[in-house]
Amino acid sequence: MPYRAPVDEYRFLFDHIVGLSHVVDTDRFAEATPDMTAAILSEAARLCEEVLYPLQRSGDLHPAKLENGVVRTSPGYADGYRAIADGGWVSISAHPDHGGMGLPMTVTTAVNEMMSSACLSLQLNPLMTQGQIEALEHHASDHLKATYLPKLVSGAWAGTMNLTEPQAGSDVGALRSKAEPMGDGTYALTGQKIYISWGDNDFTENVCHLVLARLPDGVPGTKGISLFLVPKFIPDENGAPGKQNSLKVVSLEHKMGLHGSPTAVMQYDGAIGWLVGEAHDGMRAMFTMMNNARLGVGGQGIGIAEGAYQHALAYAMDRKQGRTPVQGGPGSIIEHADVRRMLATMKADIFAARAIALACAQAIDMQTATDKPHWAARAAFLTPIAKAFGTDTGIAVAEMGVQVHGGMGFIEETGAAQYSRDVRVTAIYEGTNGIQAMDLAARKLMDGGEAAYALLDEIEAQAEAARASLPELAEPVWQAAESLREAVDWMLGHQDLNQRFAGAAPFLRGFARVLGGHFHLKAALTEAGDGPRTRLARFYITRLLPEHAGLLAHATQGATDLYALTPEDFAA
Amino acid sequence: MPYRAPVDEYRFLFDHIVGLSHVVDTDRFAEATPDMTAAILSEAARLCEEVLYPLQRSGDLHPAKLENGVVRTSPGYADGYRAIADGGWVSISAHPDHGGMGLPMTVTTAVNEMMSSACLSLQLNPLMTQGQIEALEHHASDHLKATYLPKLVSGAWAGTMNLTEPQAGSDVGALRSKAEPMGDGTYALTGQKIYISWGDNDFTENVCHLVLARLPDGVPGTKGISLFLVPKFIPDENGAPGKQNSLKVVSLEHKMGLHGSPTAVMQYDGAIGWLVGEAHDGMRAMFTMMNNARLGVGGQGIGIAEGAYQHALAYAMDRKQGRTPVQGGPGSIIEHADVRRMLATMKADIFAARAIALACAQAIDMQTATDKPHWAARAAFLTPIAKAFGTDTGIAVAEMGVQVHGGMGFIEETGAAQYSRDVRVTAIYEGTNGIQAMDLAARKLMDGGEAAYALLDEIEAQAEAARASLPELAEPVWQAAESLREAVDWMLGHQDLNQRFAGAAPFLRGFARVLGGHFHLKAALTEAGDGPRTRLARFYITRLLPEHAGLLAHATQGATDLYALTPEDFAA
């Protein structure tokens, strides 16, 4: 059951839904011509289909192991990584000044997504490196840039992010790791970090850790945190990996899925590091990296959804069972109404989640190229939605993929279950989806709702314009946008943020539902008659979009009743 | 993190929600006095908390294995099973004439649920035996009853169900297994059966298989199927296990979860069996068994939900992270709005699913005791809802349990992930939840909606009566019931069943949502003021019940648009 990268789908979304042409019209991304993009997509597709996808099950069956302090990666992963690095895929969005391809984030998002479909556990490695490259590009000294960026961009070295400590998870400000200035421009890092994805490997020459820690004069909380680059091997005067640093992998976690990705507990014992950005300003640098990583994780969810969908579709087309209502049809289970409902739901939600993620990526590109604040605001607003809805869709679609397989879905050899187990963590890492929802309902509305209302205005303008040609699709989208506008009004009317937080998760999902309707309508509008885009849009708008009503009702109930529940109420 | 059986909760539901007293008022169940029930629950609770719960992780870490044709069960399972059998828990609902306790299904459902919370993979064994006992009680000859029932009731022998074949899953009528009459009243069974839960074990003296097969004169399809009892060891003249029968376990499946339960491929090569019920009437006998097994599987979902909830609640009460908005509170993550939302959702949905399951069980008991057709209709109507909503709730609650744990949720040692992996199959076996939905939308409305409308009348009558005391809760429930009534009308207005099937799954879930509102309102009505039941009911009715609107909109879209999607539309 092969994986086929949905190249034509990305092209459609680039051309007709998110407007990649506006990105290419800028000086910064002028080289990303349609021909160039087409070549990139088809080359990446080949890598994913032929090289990476065969590794997916290998990683699950043969997890990364820690042997005598050395991480041994899953069979084939070293070769897979080499193919990624040699193709330049680690750094397609890195600036050409540092050896990157300098491609738009829109294209990068599509490529990252297909790598996630093919082999999520391996893809997580270059995704972390991409984030590190970005953080260094924006915040590192020229010396650090010159030493590290070429190695990271080529994939010779890999990057990691070290935020979490046992007592400091979602609350990063509680971290205890320390950095002592050594007087020579370096710092000695001491502390323990947990949940470090790809904390080590046996296929890159070096592993570079971005570590959050507190300087001696750092105040408690997030304002006293600084960011350091701490390599596994300290570069010598020629920039080659030299002396082993005082850091080690203490243990690897035994996880529900993503077995091919070693999740490490890292110990730093006076390890040498270099400050990235200003002292005590580590959170700002980390957020540069984290925002795009959040979009990247949303893309992981979509990638798994696509893989699980293709897997389930192939099974449903092949598997014969029972009398179907279709005369002369293939007699396969896809002809049963409930199986069709599941597959159509999967496909319609993948489109919605992908459109949201690519719209977010396009806004990042426009911000990069034009420096206009409304693009930055758009990107910031869409990021938590892309992350949470992308990963929730990944989980839900993988779940449905298991169900489509019936009894076979529960059997590991089928592969459906692995998608479900692998994707589960994406709703947790890079900020849980609850954190994303709080970010949306609080920080992303600090502009007085400007970014939210700008989106709503676009949604309603398109729906109004579509009333003539597609009234039965345009009207529900317009109505849903009006309900969403009321929910945004409600949020802005409550300055006590906890009132918003009580309904933040359904608010985020309701927003995504409406955006999905908007993008489906946009896709339908590209067709003159009743084509495939219109048929899928009709499915989404009549059957899935109505979910927004219940979500927005939940979103606007406030915190009072929720906090009226006592500890005894929960325990009873 | 111990498991505590929710004994007080069952008592509340018995006394105030489902009316166990009406069951006890019948001659058949007169012995199930409140004192007796209390003693049963507390004894079962002790077994579950102290003996079975410690086995949960053992089964996951050390799956059942097939060694030289012999199934080796997980460490401790033999002792755990012995404790279940010695306590009489295999057969608490079996008729006293055969050595059972003869307790109501309402009480059995609570006991089965707590065994599922404690150790689902082991509980599945006696659940299968319970179903076999029931099938034999109703359909077997006196000779078979005398030989097998005492052994099954005591737990000395275990029972299995053999329906599925590779080409005959949801479509049982496609089965190919054959039964040849031997002329001496026995039959020679030949064929392969798959997904046989507890197909063998190393702790009972015998394993008795109920096998569906076709006699030589059996017509194709379900009408040509007969049911046979095929023991692993053929009883000798004294009824003791004698000669090994010609059947074997070919292999065990490698599953996503439920590792402690051996799922077997069974091979029958002219194995000796006895006919149960009439020739060619096997499906009727199987349905006797299957209906209650469906309720039992719904209870498995609820049991896992309860276990996962307790696990997540304990973590959320203990784990400190970030500033919480509660002054002087414990500072634990349960004080964060989004974590509270998840835990309250879990608790509110467990109450709803449990009330539905126990209402179904109570209807079965009333039918057993009074033989009144409206109780049979009520039981039949609620069974698919109890199965699908119970298991969907199990999956959703276990999923939220993982999320409440944050990063720890993805780590296997935490235990949260196991609930999620173990429960997944419950939405698939005993008829997928899609099959349950089709059953509800078609067969269970063949009475012209009588059973459905009777429930709706009860829901609306209670809501009307509650308008004076709890208007803000009563009104939404009444409104939701009216919407549901329209959806039932819509279903009955479409005689082409495929029109119904296209929305059957959201129809079932919408029905469950409204029933949940009804039972929460009923719970709130037991309190004079604003107590814990009322607070939880308010959470459910204002935040979760609104989901019904989107579901019922989806439910009533019909099949036309869904079938307008072409194979190319899905593939594109």
Side-chain angles (χ1 to χ4, degrees), chain A residues 159-459:
Chain A
T160 76
M161 293 168 69
N162 290 235
L163 287 79
T164 305
E165 300 177 11
Q167 79 296 344
S170 297
D171 181 16
V172 177
L175 67 78
R176 292 180 194 148
S177 288
K178 289 177 184 169
E180 291 278 343
M182 302 298 285
D184 62 354
T186 67
Y187 297 81
L189 277 282
T190 301
Q192 193 175 76
K193 295 286 182 178
I194 61 171
Y195 303 149
I196 308 310
S197 295
W198 284 99
D200 201 2
N201 71 66
D202 53 7
F203 50 64
T204 61
E205 297 166 13
N206 206 351
V207 180
C208 307
H209 305 284
L210 274 179
V211 182
L212 286 181
R214 211 179 299 276
L215 287 163
D217 58 341
V219 296
T222 53
K223 289 178 182 163
I225 294 177
S226 306
L227 181 66
F228 300 88
L229 182 60
V230 188
K232 176 179 171 186
F233 297 110
I234 299 166
D236 64 20
E237 58 266 36
N238 302 318
K243 187 169 149 268
Q244 159 82 45
N245 210 342
S246 301
L247 60 88
K248 65 177 178 194
V249 175
V250 176
S251 60
L252 298 183
E253 304 292 356
H254 177 226
K255 309 189 299 294
M256 182 183 187
L258 226 58
H259 296 163
S261 157
T263 303
V265 175
M266 301 292 302
Q267 182 69 40
Y268 296 87
D269 294 308
I272 302 298
W274 285 263
L275 186 65
V276 176
E278 301 296 315
H280 316 311
D281 200 25
M283 287 304 285
R284 198 165 63 91
M286 198 45 107
F287 264 107
T288 306
M289 173 168 177
M290 223 150 52
N291 274 329
N292 292 6
R294 285 176 174 185
L295 171 60
V297 171
Q300 292 188 323
I302 301 162
I304 288 286
E306 175 69 33
Y309 171 71
Q310 290 191 18
H311 201 82
L313 178 64
Y315 182 79
M317 299 289 280
D318 182 60
R319 170 78 171 163
K320 312 268 188 290
Q321 190 76 178
R323 266 175 312 172
T324 76
V326 177
Q327 293 291 330
S332 304
I333 61 169
I334 193 174
E335 302 298 359
H336 288 295
D338 194 58
V339 175
R340 278 183 98 77
R341 173 192 65 82
M342 287 192 277
L343 289 164
T345 300
M346 294 159 85
K347 188 165 178 70
D349 267 353
I350 289 170
F351 176 85
R354 188 180 275 145
I356 291 168
L358 290 177
C360 180
Q362 193 255 11
I364 292 169
D365 289 330
M366 293 305 288
Q367 152 68 4
T368 303
T370 70
D371 220 22
K372 287 188 181 157
H374 77 272
W375 285 117
R378 168 72 50 103
F381 191 83
L382 287 177
T383 297
I385 303 178
K387 196 277 183 180
F389 188 66
T391 57
D392 283 345
T393 297
I395 291 171
V397 168
E399 190 80 54
M400 278 196 190
V402 169
Q403 194 71 17
V404 167
H405 281 81
M408 294 286 286
F410 199 58
I411 308 296
E412 284 291 353
E413 282 77 1
T414 311
Q418 188 188 339
Y419 287 115
S420 183
R421 289 185 292 99
D422 282 355
V423 74
R424 186 61 189 85
V425 73
T426 62
I428 297 171
Y429 63 22
E430 286 307 327
T432 66
N433 286 3
I435 298 279
Q436 305 300 321
M438 290 165 77
D439 177 47
L440 183 72
R443 187 184 296 260
K444 300 305 164 65
L445 292 178
M446 276 174 65
D447 61 358
E450 195 176 323
Y453 291 128
L455 273 166
L456 284 166
D457 291 347
E458 277 182 37
I459 295 169

Side-chain angles (χ1 to χ4, degrees), chain A residues 169 321 340 399 424 565 572, chain B residues 169 321 340 347 399 424 565:
Chain A
Q321 190 76 178
R340 278 183 98 77
E399 190 80 54
R424 186 61 189 85
L565 291 164
Chain B
Q321 190 77 178
R340 278 183 96 77
K347 188 164 179 69
E399 190 81 56
R424 186 64 190 82
L565 292 164

